[in-house]
Amino acid sequence: QLMNCLKYLIIINPNSGKKKSIDMFNSFVVPKLKEKNHSFEYKITKYQHHAEEIANNAILNDKDGIIVLGGDGTMHEVVNGLLKRVDNKNIPIGILPAGSGNSLLYDLGKFNLETTLNNILSHNIRTMDVLKVTNNDRIYYSINLVGWGMGTDIGLLAEKMRWIGPARYNIA
């Protein structure tokens, strides 16, 4: 089945990075999926934590993977939504570089859009460690980094400076 027709859930954050994820989806991802005869359904996030809700509530029994068009924040939400599912459904998640910093993809050396999408569609899967943080009655999962104190303050300030681009983290 791997090289046959696969079915993906695609989660698109239209506000991540330079706000080009919908264009990237229409001009690059859709043609590549059709070329490889894969099917898909897509959801566009409308508000903060929407990607988490989508991943948590989506019907995944007929899906072979999730593709994320967004940044580290969108990926964080998708991972948390998937890991908090009551059915414990576990399917591969691939992310395409559509964020500001794309820290996760940068760390993995997967920054080229075409190469990264080809890896996803080839079902080139790698496992990753997940950190589970419990704070009072809340659970958070992280696959990239966990910060508190000054790092969190910088992230919150940088979020208000999105118009600057990736340099906003250094400035904050």
Side-chain angles (χ1 to χ4, degrees), residues 11-147:
I11 301 174
I12 305 166
N13 181 345
N15 294 312
S16 63
K18 295 180 179 165
K19 302 185 181 200
K20 297 195 182 298
S21 56
I22 291 177
D23 289 341
M24 181 188 298
F25 173 69
N26 289 321
S27 66
F28 188 75
V29 178
V30 171
K32 187 65 101 168
L33 286 164
K34 288 182 176 177
E35 170 192 316
K36 296 195 176 283
N37 213 23
H38 297 317
S39 59
F40 61 91
E41 112 184 27
Y42 70 94
K43 306 273 186 198
I44 298 173
T45 63
K46 295 179 173 54
Y47 46 85
Q48 190 174 15
H49 301 295
H50 193 197
E52 184 171 344
E53 291 175 23
I54 293 168
N56 190 260
N57 298 316
I59 296 169
L60 297 176
N61 291 337
D62 63 338
K63 307 292 186 306
D64 297 294
I66 298 173
I67 299 175
V68 177
L69 276 85
D72 295 314
T74 312
M75 185 65 162
H76 173 77
E77 287 189 22
V78 171
V79 166
N80 275 269
L82 191 64
L83 292 176
K84 293 175 185 176
R85 290 177 65 94
V86 292
D87 65 1
N88 294 315
K89 181 72 175 164
N90 187 357
I91 64 173
I93 306 170
I95 182 167
L96 295 173
S100 305
N102 299 298
S103 172
L104 175 63
L105 285 170
Y106 187 81
D107 291 345
L108 297 174
K110 304 290 183 207
F111 215 69
N112 178 281
L113 177 61
E114 187 167 3
T115 304
T116 304
L117 183 57
N118 284 335
N119 277 331
I120 292 168
L121 299 183
S122 299
H123 234 59
N124 187 358
I125 299 171
R126 70 188 289 170
T127 58
M128 294 186 70
D129 291 331
V130 177
L131 177 68
K132 179 180 180 181
V133 177
T134 305
N135 180 14
N136 297 328
D137 60 341
R138 299 183 72 182
I139 295 172
Y140 305 90
Y141 295 97
S142 175
I143 57 168
N144 196 13
L145 58 93
V146 173

